[in-house]
């Protein structure tokens, strides 16, 4: 798994966390016991893969719940980078669609002002004394936030008044929806007619050059 550089082993050889190349540590929701595999490497690697997916999904959904309980600037410092970026896209999609439905071009212009204020707050935080991992998260978030802010500005200039307009549908949009196969909440990514599951492969806290 490209996003995992190391694993955290306990004295009893059980794996309890995954560690990225940036030294971000994410606790596994399910402990993996390689000893129980009795030398069958493929068995415990498959178990690790499942635990990675479950753990990443857990972090994303918990971060989404937490977003609604505290100021965004604090929330950005409290979760793994991948969960931050994922939830940030979910929130942007929801708020952007709401701005279009309720206010059309003016709603988008008002939302653009809100995004500007959020950006200023993040920039001020980055200029301060913050942990290295938080700085990495914020740097990646800024790249995506700048893109999202510019998209909103462009949509407002185009006079978009419907969330079914093609110029909105071609954007990368994240949603929390029920998975018909499992009847559980899942994260889905949409662009025009494409509708893909997020998949939850752990990516670490890597930098972003583009969205």
């Amino acid at each position: 798994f490209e996003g995992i550089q190391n694993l955290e082993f306990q004295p009893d050889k059980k794996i309890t966390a995954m560690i990225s190349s940036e030294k971000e540590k994410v606790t596994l929701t399910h402990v993996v016991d390689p000893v129980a595999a009795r030398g069958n490497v493929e068995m415990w690697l498959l178990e690790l893969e499942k635990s990675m997916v479950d753990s990443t999904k857990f972090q994303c959904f918990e971060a989404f719940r937490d977003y609604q309980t505290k100021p965004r600037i604090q929330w950005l410092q409290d979760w793994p980078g991948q969960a931050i970026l994922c939830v940030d896209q979910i929130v942007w999609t929801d708020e952007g669609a709401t701005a279009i439905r309720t206010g059309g071009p003016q709603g988008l212009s008002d939302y653009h002002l809100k995004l500007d204020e959020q950006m200023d707050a993040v920039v001020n935080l980055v200029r301060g004394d913050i942990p290295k991992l938080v700085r990495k998260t914020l740097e990646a978030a800024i790249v995506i936030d700048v893109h999202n802010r510019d998209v909103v500005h462009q949509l407002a200039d185009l006079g978009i008044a419907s969330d079914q307009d093609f110029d909105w549908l071609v954007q990368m949009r994240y949603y929390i929806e029920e998975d018909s196969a499992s009847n559980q909440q899942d994260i889905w990514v949409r662009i025009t007619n494409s509708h893909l599951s997020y998949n939850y492969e752990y990516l670490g806290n890597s930098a972003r050059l583009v969205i």
Side-chain angles (χ1 to χ4, degrees):
F1 312 111
E2 187 175 349
I4 302 177
Q5 185 183 60
N6 292 306
L7 299 169
E8 182 178 78
F9 286 85
Q10 298 304 314
D12 60 2
K13 308 300 181 183
K14 292 180 180 178
I15 303 170
T16 55
M18 49 191 176
I19 303 170
S20 72
S21 60
E22 302 84 18
K23 307 307 175 187
E24 177 183 76
K25 183 171 77 171
V26 175
T27 301
L28 297 176
T29 54
H30 308 300
V31 174
V32 177
D33 186 5
V35 176
R38 299 181 181 276
N40 190 336
V41 177
E42 293 83 0
M43 183 180 294
W44 71 261
L45 281 177
L46 285 172
E47 187 179 350
L48 175 62
E49 180 181 19
K50 183 181 186 306
S51 188
M52 172 193 71
V53 169
D54 291 345
S55 302
T56 304
K57 182 176 183 178
F58 175 80
Q59 291 288 333
C60 289
F61 274 87
E62 287 300 302
F64 177 72
R65 295 185 186 96
D66 193 46
Y67 185 93
Q68 303 164 64
T69 68
K70 65 178 62 168
R72 181 174 186 266
I73 203 66
Q74 178 60 49
W75 173 82
L76 286 167
Q77 304 174 66
D78 292 345
W79 293 93
Q82 184 173 352
I84 292 290
L85 299 183
C86 179
V87 173
D88 210 26
Q89 286 292 89
I90 294 170
V91 172
W92 176 80
T93 298
D94 178 65
E95 293 181 344
T98 299
I100 293 172
R101 288 194 299 267
T102 60
Q106 184 57 52
L108 287 167
S109 294
D110 293 341
Y111 186 42
H112 182 265
L113 293 176
K114 177 181 177 179
L115 294 177
D116 260 339
E117 292 174 358
Q118 290 181 347
M119 180 68 65
D120 289 342
V122 174
V123 170
N124 288 334
L125 181 59
V126 169
R127 288 173 176 167
D129 184 17
I130 55 177
K132 183 178 179 180
L133 272 177
V134 172
R135 187 175 300 278
K136 277 188 169 292
T137 299
L138 296 181
E139 288 171 351
I142 286 173
V143 171
I144 293 177
D145 285 353
V146 167
H147 170 81
N148 288 344
R149 181 195 61 185
D150 292 347
V151 166
V152 169
H153 185 266
Q154 180 184 30
L155 294 175
D157 285 347
L158 290 172
I160 302 304
S162 169
D163 61 359
Q164 297 303 307
D165 192 289
F166 181 75
D167 288 294
W168 170 249
L169 296 179
V170 296
Q171 307 304 324
M172 183 181 293
R173 296 163 289 119
Y174 284 44
Y175 297 90
I176 293 179
E177 301 173 343
E178 185 172 293
D179 183 355
S180 58
S182 64
N183 293 321
Q184 294 182 347
Q185 293 280 288
D186 205 352
I187 296 172
W188 297 87
V189 184
R190 293 178 179 268
I191 301 179
T192 58
N193 293 329
S194 297
H195 183 212
L196 303 173
S197 173
Y198 182 72
N199 283 333
Y200 309 103
E201 178 182 350
Y202 179 61
L203 302 176
N205 195 358
S206 56
R208 299 288 192 279
L209 293 177
V210 294
I211 186 170

